[in-house]
Amino acid sequence: MSLLPILCYPDPKLNTVARPVQAVDARVKQLIADMLDTMYDANGIGLAATQVDVHERLIVIDVSEDRNQPLVLINPEITWASPEKQLNDEGCLSVPGIYDGVERSSSIKVTALDGDGKSRTLEAEGILAVCIQHEMDHLLGKVFVEYLSPLKRNRIKTKMLKARRDTERA
């Protein structure tokens, strides 16, 4: 088990657009295992490779109650999104302790490779749809706080920078 360091907002590396995974090889399978360990250890329900400073199109998710149904999406693409939207309070492992409302499509259809490199299509709604959209934003270099007003975003940025300084002093 290898825990990976999670980048924290406003680290500029979080704004890097991820490139496609070229092959599902031993390196990528190890990255998937490490990302799942990191996500579970941090009590998250999703993690994008961008958040662990690997700028490839890979996300891991587990929205199950028992935390035993990991979902791996490599090179995911949303092929359909419902016009119906829903407002959800979102949080992020890269913005610890901050939650705010973000509007997203209620249901989506996604195509991606799984952890074995097999192509799959997935229909998702509810929390899974929200989580996939949130994590896919990371692959595009976007953090959920960028949906918020400039005032809220600046307050969060100030709070995160202060927390980083306090941690570095300790």
Side-chain angles (χ1 to χ4, degrees):
M1 176 169 120
S2 219
L3 297 181
L4 304 169
I6 298 172
L7 298 175
C8 280
Y9 181 80
D11 191 315
K13 294 177 200 161
L14 288 168
N15 298 120
T16 304
V17 176
R19 61 191 179 282
V21 172
Q22 296 303 312
V24 182
D25 55 15
R27 178 192 66 83
V28 169
K29 289 183 180 197
Q30 183 62 54
L31 177 60
I32 291 166
D34 292 346
M35 285 176 61
L36 285 166
D37 289 343
T38 302
M39 178 187 73
Y40 289 131
D41 183 71
N43 293 316
I45 61 171
L47 186 66
T50 300
Q51 293 175 271
V52 294
D53 206 15
V54 177
H55 303 285
E56 294 181 68
R57 295 185 55 78
L58 166 62
I59 60 178
V60 297
I61 293 172
D62 190 342
V63 296
S64 68
E65 275 189 43
D66 294 332
R67 317 288 286 141
N68 62 356
Q69 296 174 32
L71 175 65
V72 175
L73 299 174
I74 299 170
N75 299 332
E77 297 294 334
I78 294 176
T79 57
W80 176 83
S82 68
E84 298 85 28
K85 306 282 186 191
Q86 62 186 44
L87 184 67
N88 296 288
D89 254 7
E90 290 187 25
C92 181
L93 295 177
S94 291
V95 194
I98 304 294
Y99 299 87
D100 213 316
V102 177
E103 189 175 74
R104 298 195 187 269
S105 292
S106 301
S107 53
I108 58 171
K109 191 180 285 187
V110 180
T111 59
L113 300 177
D114 66 14
D116 294 318
K118 293 184 179 84
S119 183
R120 65 180 295 179
T121 298
L122 172 75
E123 292 183 27
E125 58 185 22
I127 188 70
L128 180 58
V130 169
C131 190
I132 290 171
Q133 291 171 84
H134 175 107
E135 298 308 330
M136 286 184 67
D137 274 352
H138 280 297
L139 301 180
L140 298 172
K142 188 168 189 174
V143 181
F144 90 97
V145 298
E146 293 172 42
Y147 287 102
L148 307 178
S149 72
L151 178 64
K152 280 187 177 180
R153 203 168 41 247
N154 284 333
R155 284 184 178 158
I156 292 167
K157 185 176 181 179
T158 300
K159 184 176 184 176
M160 298 302 296
L161 289 171
K162 181 184 181 310
R164 183 186 306 160
R165 280 193 306 271
D166 292 349
T167 302
E168 288 170 355
R169 282 191 206 126

